[in-house]
Amino acid sequence: MATRTTPLTLPEIEYMLPGNRSCTGCGLSIAYRHGLKALGGEVILTVPASCLTVLQGMYPISSMLVPCLNTAFETTAASASGIKAALKALGKDNITVVGWAGDGGTADIGIQSLSGAAERNTDFIYVCYDNEGYMNTGTQRSGSTPYGAFTTTCTMGKMEHKKDMPMIMAAHNIPYVATVTPSHPMDLFDIFKKAKDMYGTRYIHILIPCPPGWGYEPQDTIQMGRMAVQCGMFDLYEIIDGKFNFYGPSQKIADGGERLPVDEYIHAQGRFKGIATEKIVEIQRWVDRKWAIYKENGYCKGGRG
Ligand SMILES: Cc1ncc(C[n+]2csc(CCOP(=O)(O)OP(=O)(O)O)c2C)c(N)n1
Ligand code: SF4
């Protein structure tokens, strides 16, 4: 097993300065900070309309120390492909190109340009930060919003389950797919570091707890990400060249450890307030079925190497 980063070995250098414009307790700010540390300074980002554009701020008062192109909502992967091609034409092979978009910008409007780039195995890292809704514009429903959650565009609770974006990307046979949360920041750092050293389309999916969008107090962000994993609503894994491996708490569950019921996670969040009992039963059924499929596929043994 590769050496794991710890808070003591985490690089001190910062590319995201204090004083950014995200909400208090934003999970995205934790993920972005640690992701950028791992990527290092030789990077160009492309980011569509989203909370991340707000977090970064506008020139000349941006809190970021890395170059970023703000692109149109549906064009993250297309714009990353263009940046990569331009760098290649200039003979600059040492710069990592990263597209970093929300779940709306990824699972919904940006999926076709992402699919095209992945099919071509374009050499870039694509990050989907999944706060499970269109949060920047006031908490609308996305294809990644979980079943039963209330949003401003599904006021009776969402009727459909979440789109499985990491597995959709894995079906493109790209070299690297990984899932993580900001509640596991050292794993997040290591995943970005690993992705940086690979060639081809690398996809990282980050579940982002979001206090205003999910309806919980800002100090509970870390706990919210942990609970999502402990109850199996969100799972931590890597797929390297088609080989699937759980890691961390998800590996413990896969090895026979306890998976908590979804109730506590659901009841901790205002977006599920007033949800009918039968809908919680349906969410539990969805999680159980997902884990049964992991088992059938032989994923429930071994860990991250
Ligand atoms: C073509 C287009 N449609 C709609 C918008 C308005 N818009 C800007 S940000 C946003 C929501 C983005 O959601 P997501 O990608 O999930 O990121 P988040 O806001 O949650 O960070 C929308 C709908 C836009 N900029 N362009
Ligand atoms: S709405 Fe959510 S994701 Fe967006 S900045 Fe605020 S806490 Fe972060």
Side-chain angles (χ1 to χ4, degrees):
M1 182 185 285
T3 312
R4 306 281 294 273
T5 301
T6 69
L8 293 178
T9 56
L10 190 70
E12 287 185 15
I13 190 162
E14 300 287 354
Y15 298 98
M16 191 175 112
L17 300 176
N20 72 72
R21 301 198 301 174
S22 63
C23 311
T24 310
C26 174
L28 171 61
S29 61
I30 303 168
Y32 203 48
R33 177 176 170 232
H34 288 83
L36 291 182
K37 272 176 183 279
L39 292 168
E42 299 293 292
V43 63
I44 296 180
L45 288 123
T46 177
V47 173
S50 60
C51 285
L52 186 50
T53 45
V54 177
L55 182 154
Q56 295 189 126
M58 283 178 288
Y59 183 84
I61 55 162
S62 169
S63 53
M64 309 311 305
L65 292 178
V66 285
C68 177
L69 179 78
N70 283 124
T71 192
F73 200 17
E74 60 276 47
T75 61
T76 311
S79 123
S81 302
I83 295 169
K84 189 69 205 175
L87 288 170
K88 196 174 170 201
L90 292 169
K92 296 189 175 179
D93 286 335
N94 58 327
I95 297 173
T96 308
V97 177
V98 181
W100 196 309
D103 50 294
T106 301
D108 296 339
I109 196 166
I111 197 169
Q112 63 91 0
S113 63
L114 174 57
S115 177
E119 188 221 343
R120 295 187 297 272
N121 198 27
T122 305
D123 184 29
F124 78 122
I125 298 176
Y126 189 100
V127 183
C128 172
Y129 72 90
D130 182 7
N131 53 20
E132 302 190 317
Y134 292 62
M135 298 312 187
N136 174 52
T137 41
T139 320
Q140 291 88 25
R141 160 212 193 281
S142 82
S144 206
T145 303
Y147 175 87
F150 297 87
T151 72
T152 51
T153 45
C154 49
T155 51
M156 304 297 283
K158 194 181 172 209
M159 305 294 285
E160 302 81 17
H161 285 287
K162 187 180 171 77
K163 207 183 270 194
D164 193 346
M165 216 33 228
M167 286 301 182
I168 290 172
M169 292 311 294
H172 286 73
N173 296 316
I174 52 177
Y176 191 57
V177 174
T179 63
V180 70
T181 90
S183 309
H184 308 84
M186 298 305 118
D187 291 311
L188 191 146
F189 178 89
D190 285 342
I191 279 168
F192 272 82
K193 220 162 168 45
K194 192 182 287 186
K196 181 176 156 42
D197 294 335
M198 291 180 174
Y199 175 87
T201 304
R202 294 141 279 166
Y203 178 82
I204 300 173
H205 195 102
I206 314 176
L207 181 74
I208 298 289
C210 163
W214 292 17
Y216 66 84
E217 293 301 318
Q219 68 268 22
D220 295 335
T221 287
I222 299 299
Q223 181 59 9
M224 218 49 69
R226 284 182 186 153
M227 285 167 82
V229 173
Q230 286 162 352
C231 70
M233 284 284 280
F234 187 82
D235 312 314
L236 304 177
Y237 58 80
E238 290 178 298
I239 307 174
I240 304 175
D241 288 329
K243 192 169 181 305
F244 184 106
N245 266 317
F246 285 116
Y247 70 88
S250 295
Q251 185 187 328
K252 285 196 182 127
I253 295 173
D255 288 347
E258 189 188 8
R259 171 160 52 85
L260 299 179
V262 297
D263 302 55
E264 200 182 329
Y265 178 67
I266 298 292
H267 288 307
Q269 300 172 46
R271 64 178 170 162
F272 293 109
K273 193 168 178 215
I275 187 173
T277 308
E278 55 268 29
K279 288 193 173 178
I280 300 179
V281 171
E282 170 55 24
I283 294 171
Q284 187 65 64
R285 186 204 64 77
W286 179 82
V287 172
D288 292 347
R289 179 175 175 274
K290 183 165 54 112
W291 276 86
I293 293 170
Y294 287 147
K295 264 195 187 140
E296 278 167 26
N297 288 342
Y299 295 163
C300 287
K301 48 185 173 323
R304 187 146 66 103

